[in-house]
Amino acid sequence: MHNIQGHAQSLPRMSGMFIRNDLVASPEEAKQKQQKVWGQAQYQSISNNLAKAGMTVLIPQIAVNYRDANHQTFYYPTKRFQATDTASASEQAQLGYALQSVKDNNLGVYLPLQLSETTWFQALYNHFDSKENQAFLKESATFSIQIADEMMQLYESSYGAQIKGFYLPFEVDNANLYEGKALDRWIEDYLQPVTTHLRKLLPKGRIVTSPLLYTNLTQPSSKDLTQWNTMWQNVFFRTELDTLMPQDGAGWESASADQLGAWYRSMADMITTSNADRKLQGRSATVELWNNPESYSMSGSNTMDITRLEKNMQAVEPYVQRHISFSAHSLMPMSEDFLAGQENNEAYYQAYTESQRIGYVPTKLVQKPKVTYDVQNQNNIEFHVTRVGDETGYVLYRTIAGKRIKIKELNAEKEQTTFTFTDNQVLPHASVRYELMAFDAYGNRSLPYTCELSLPATIADGISDFSKKITKVNAQALSTGLPVQTLTFAEQSEGFAHLRLDLGKTQKIQAIGMSFVQDRNASIRIPATIQYEVDGHAYATAEQPSMPQIDFTKPVIGENTYQAGEYWYWGFPRTAARGRVVDIKIRLEYNVFLFMRELLVL
């Protein structure tokens, strides 16, 4: 394994990067998003810049985007599945472009299998309990084997020297395979048949998986480590999978260097044990631990600064063989015509390569931003920033009652000279201190612009209006989409969102309930509490989590009745109320992505 003291340089080095085929614009997407379709030149540019940065690997993430049995998007020219392939000619060319660019730049590649992201996560969160979920596993195994065969038939003769193994894009996490028979089903119905076949196809190739590791910004407990490592030791003992490369928690969203060392130190010990197990089985002791330090935000619009990226890699460097980062779209230079929203890639790439060249992340001067602010529509505080240098972004902090939290981080687009920040979590009467700093690609920050103000009693607390006139409240569910402010949690902190629903007229209300998309270990989280008000009067407060099922054919009784189960938040007052405007105040544990599913007013 790598040893920091044994390195010629003091900084860990990335061995390669992923590229997501479905981030590449099809002709339809290009027209809609005003992007150009990727061709061979764009892949050549990516691979050439990887090679210039000392990297040796490119992993296209997806070979097939599988919607259902009758609709698939192939990123190579399939023969076996032409009847169900919905891909355009440009989409079918993507894997071939990647392979040719890899060959021309002397890189290695791991062939990807398919992805059916929505169906996969639904089945995973169900712990593969239902017959439908189990059938999906078995069908996915059959499909994976078929497309692996087809890719090798198409590409082995021309790119055999570049193909180093296979990448399994189905992602698991450290939460959903511990219960019931979930792990056994995943191993027996998917991993065993697929990895056994891949080993026969490419006996000396590696079979790589990159699971989601969520640390939740806390140190792992002994139970956390035992569950995770027992699961993977089981996988290595029973399948041909031989490379574990954690992602997400090892990158932008839910971990810092402080937590990563404990996870990876424990995993390294597990890898050693797994190799000993394989020797006792008479198998090759080739299991390795790699690291996937994601370098972009979950919104896809920001790139991790090089200081933080290197600190995360340094924390795990003693325990891993290599670092392969998701994703090239966040670090490799590329015209915005081809990669929308990644306009500072050139700066981050130069910062990474310079840091590698000199062996440390340099400290550089970042100029203090020019800032003004005003109160907009008695609803929020709006900050106006003028570019003063070569900064790649800005960050805003707010302190209330001694608690300092990060509000927002904004990517500074290259051609833009003015930027706007809005704090839509303001509180009436609050005494607030704001700090706004510019930063560069290395992670250097300017001195802060600061201001202190007492918010007026008239200011509204960031209401997101969602008005819909309803003729019969008790019979209608509202699918809200994303009516509330979407928040990210690069740093652990609390926040809130306020949703207002106008029913159109005064109506009788006997219960209010909301449901949320949620994985307690993921970047999508449910609220801590929800407070319901009707026409400005307290109605009910629902704690987390809420009632799993309600029989609406019977009278709703009790006050805030709830129990662990699904992610519904119900408010049940002792007597029905009458009103028109429903205010829903959502208190969050973290600044998070908040995805509401349904809102019911009964």
Side-chain angles (χ1 to χ4, degrees), residues 375-448:
V375 178
Q376 286 289 325
N377 303 320
Q378 297 186 347
N379 195 50
N380 45 49
I381 309 296
E382 193 169 271
F383 293 89
H384 308 281
V385 185
T386 302
R387 182 190 289 278
V388 293
D390 296 325
E391 60 265 39
T392 56
Y394 308 93
V395 61
L396 177 67
Y397 287 87
R398 181 188 64 205
T399 301
I400 299 179
K403 186 167 185 178
R404 182 177 184 262
I405 65 172
K406 182 177 182 178
I407 299 298
K408 286 186 179 178
E409 193 169 299
L410 181 71
N411 198 33
E413 298 179 6
K414 285 190 299 185
E415 304 303 323
Q416 195 172 342
T417 58
T418 59
F419 309 87
T420 300
F421 270 88
T422 303
D423 179 9
N424 33 24
Q425 294 190 65
V426 293
L427 293 166
H429 291 293
S431 294
V432 184
R433 174 185 170 87
Y434 288 101
E435 302 164 79
L436 198 152
M437 290 166 274
F439 58 82
D440 66 10
Y442 295 96
N444 298 305
R445 292 191 176 187
S446 69
L447 292 173

Side-chain angles (χ1 to χ4, degrees), residues 350-560:
Q350 295 300 333
Y352 172 77
T353 54
E354 181 182 4
S355 298
Q356 287 292 322
R357 179 180 60 82
I358 63 179
Y360 61 91
V361 181
T363 299
K364 298 195 175 187
L365 177 66
V366 180
Q367 290 182 262
K368 182 178 176 179
K370 294 181 179 179
V371 184
T372 61
Y373 71 88
D374 54 32
V375 178
Q376 286 289 325
N377 303 320
Q378 297 186 347
N379 195 50
N380 45 49
I381 309 296
E382 193 169 271
F383 293 89
H384 308 281
V385 185
T386 302
R387 182 190 289 278
V388 293
D390 296 325
E391 60 265 39
T392 56
Y394 308 93
V395 61
L396 177 67
Y397 287 87
R398 181 188 64 205
T399 301
I400 299 179
K403 186 167 185 178
R404 182 177 184 262
I405 65 172
K406 182 177 182 178
I407 299 298
K408 286 186 179 178
E409 193 169 299
L410 181 71
N411 198 33
E413 298 179 6
K414 285 190 299 185
E415 304 303 323
Q416 195 172 342
T417 58
T418 59
F419 309 87
T420 300
F421 270 88
T422 303
D423 179 9
N424 33 24
Q425 294 190 65
V426 293
L427 293 166
H429 291 293
S431 294
V432 184
R433 174 185 170 87
Y434 288 101
E435 302 164 79
L436 198 152
M437 290 166 274
F439 58 82
D440 66 10
Y442 295 96
N444 298 305
R445 292 191 176 187
S446 69
L447 292 173
Y449 161 84
T450 61
C451 65
E452 297 186 20
L453 59 155
S454 295
L455 302 181
T458 55
I459 199 164
D461 58 356
I463 298 171
S464 296
D465 287 307
F466 182 74
S467 300
K468 184 173 182 179
K469 292 184 178 180
I470 303 171
T471 56
K472 193 174 181 182
V473 174
N474 290 14
Q476 188 159 2
L478 305 179
S479 179
T480 63
L482 284 173
V484 299
Q485 178 70 22
T486 301
L487 308 163
T488 60
F489 70 106
E491 296 185 5
Q492 185 175 4
S493 57
E494 294 181 1
F496 71 89
H498 182 173
L499 169 67
R500 175 167 288 170
L501 175 67
D502 188 341
L503 301 177
K505 64 180 181 178
T506 298
Q507 302 193 54
K508 183 179 178 181
I509 301 170
Q510 65 175 357
I512 305 172
M514 301 177 72
S515 70
F516 292 85
V517 175
Q518 154 67 6
D519 173 9
R520 290 289 302 162
N521 286 288
S523 58
I524 301 170
R525 295 173 180 265
I526 57 175
T529 62
I530 295 180
Q531 178 183 334
Y532 298 110
E533 296 178 0
V534 175
D535 286 352
H537 301 290
Y539 180 84
T541 299
E543 306 287 341
Q544 111 185 168
S546 201
M547 178 177 276
Q549 293 180 354
I550 295 176
D551 184 354
F552 293 117
T553 64
K554 299 177 181 179
V556 178
I557 59 173
E559 186 172 2
N560 302 330

Side-chain angles (χ1 to χ4, degrees), residues 142-189:
T142 300
F143 191 61
S144 291
I145 289 168
Q146 290 171 334
I147 66 171
D149 284 343
E150 188 169 52
M151 283 190 292
M152 290 298 284
Q153 291 164 5
L154 277 171
Y155 297 121
E156 187 176 25
S157 60
S158 298
Y159 305 108
Q162 285 71 48
I163 298 171
K164 304 300 181 183
F166 292 91
Y167 169 65
L168 308 182
F170 280 147
E171 299 171 347
V172 301
D173 59 26
N174 50 314
N176 285 291
L177 285 174
Y178 303 146
E179 297 182 19
K181 296 182 179 179
L183 179 60
D184 286 339
R185 287 171 178 150
W186 182 49
I187 289 174
E188 293 168 10
D189 293 343

Side-chain angles (χ1 to χ4, degrees), residues 17-88:
M17 302 199 84
F18 286 80
I19 186 71
R20 265 196 81 147
N21 312 65
D22 60 346
L23 292 175
V24 172
S26 68
E28 298 76 18
E29 291 169 332
K31 184 177 181 181
Q32 178 185 353
K33 300 177 182 179
Q34 297 183 333
Q35 287 177 256
K36 294 182 180 178
V37 178
W38 277 47
Q40 186 66 67
Q42 284 65 52
Y43 278 96
Q44 287 288 355
S45 173
I46 291 289
S47 290
N48 184 251
N49 280 311
L50 288 173
K52 286 180 180 178
M55 302 186 206
T56 58
V57 175
L58 177 66
I59 303 180
Q61 199 198 11
I62 309 167
V64 186
N65 206 325
Y66 185 101
R67 186 150 49 111
D68 57 47
N70 299 311
H71 302 87
Q72 294 116 38
T73 302
F74 278 76
Y75 298 109
Y76 67 87
T78 181
K79 298 290 190 293
R80 184 191 291 262
F81 297 99
Q82 285 180 327
T84 57
D85 181 18
T86 62
S88 64

Side-chain angles (χ1 to χ4, degrees), residues 83-339:
T84 57
D85 181 18
T86 62
S88 64
S90 63
E91 287 169 324
Q92 288 183 336
Q94 298 303 314
L95 189 55
Y97 290 153
L99 286 166
Q100 186 60 49
S101 73
V102 163
K103 185 174 185 177
D104 292 344
N105 290 279
N106 197 29
L107 306 179
V109 69
Y110 292 82
L111 292 177
L113 298 185
Q114 90 277 14
L115 186 68
S116 181
E117 198 164 53
T118 301
T119 308
W120 172 261
F121 280 118
Q122 287 173 347
L124 176 68
Y125 296 161
N126 182 251
H127 310 300
F128 307 123
D129 276 344
S130 71
K131 290 182 180 178
E132 292 79 10
N133 296 156
Q134 292 161 38
F136 169 72
L137 273 181
K138 294 172 183 177
E139 291 163 4
S140 295
T142 300
F143 191 61
S144 291
I145 289 168
Q146 290 171 334
I147 66 171
D149 284 343
E150 188 169 52
M151 283 190 292
M152 290 298 284
Q153 291 164 5
L154 277 171
Y155 297 121
E156 187 176 25
S157 60
S158 298
Y159 305 108
Q162 285 71 48
I163 298 171
K164 304 300 181 183
F166 292 91
Y167 169 65
L168 308 182
F170 280 147
E171 299 171 347
V172 301
D173 59 26
N174 50 314
N176 285 291
L177 285 174
Y178 303 146
E179 297 182 19
K181 296 182 179 179
L183 179 60
D184 286 339
R185 287 171 178 150
W186 182 49
I187 289 174
E188 293 168 10
D189 293 343
Y190 183 77
L191 284 182
Q192 281 180 346
V194 171
T195 62
T196 298
H197 188 79
L198 297 181
R199 178 64 64 227
K200 291 176 182 176
L201 274 181
L202 207 62
K204 295 183 179 180
R206 302 204 68 81
I207 303 173
V208 181
T209 190
S210 192
L212 314 173
L213 176 63
Y214 297 115
T215 77
N216 296 331
L217 299 165
T218 59
Q219 290 294 335
S221 67
S222 58
K223 180 181 178 182
D224 294 333
L225 297 175
T226 298
Q227 286 183 317
W228 176 252
N229 288 318
T230 299
M231 177 175 79
W232 288 106
Q233 188 175 340
N234 201 337
V235 168
F236 294 135
F237 189 79
R238 297 168 61 187
T239 77
E240 290 298 312
L241 188 74
D242 59 15
T243 309
L244 179 63
M245 183 168 55
Q247 63 164 298
D248 273 8
W252 176 281
E253 291 294 338
S254 67
S256 69
D258 294 340
Q259 301 97 38
L260 292 175
W263 281 101
Y264 277 74
R265 182 167 53 251
S266 177
M267 275 190 280
D269 291 339
M270 178 271 295
I271 297 291
T272 299
T273 301
S274 293
N275 278 320
D277 290 342
R278 285 196 167 192
K279 284 184 178 179
L280 291 174
Q281 292 176 301
R283 301 164 66 198
S284 297
T286 55
V287 181
E288 291 186 0
L289 179 61
W290 297 0
N291 178 41
N292 180 352
E294 287 201 357
S295 57
Y296 79 113
S297 66
M298 290 296 287
S299 66
S301 61
N302 289 327
T303 296
M304 185 188 295
D305 66 68
I306 301 306
T307 295
R308 185 176 172 199
L309 179 65
E310 289 290 354
K311 282 183 177 178
N312 283 4
M313 290 198 292
Q314 282 175 329
V316 307
E317 173 77 352
Y319 315 113
V320 304
Q321 270 70 29
R322 54 178 24 180
H323 307 268
I324 298 180
S325 176
F326 190 85
S327 168
H329 77 276
S330 71
L331 191 69
M332 293 295 110
M334 180 65 66
S335 164
E336 287 86 56
D337 291 340
F338 297 96
L339 281 180

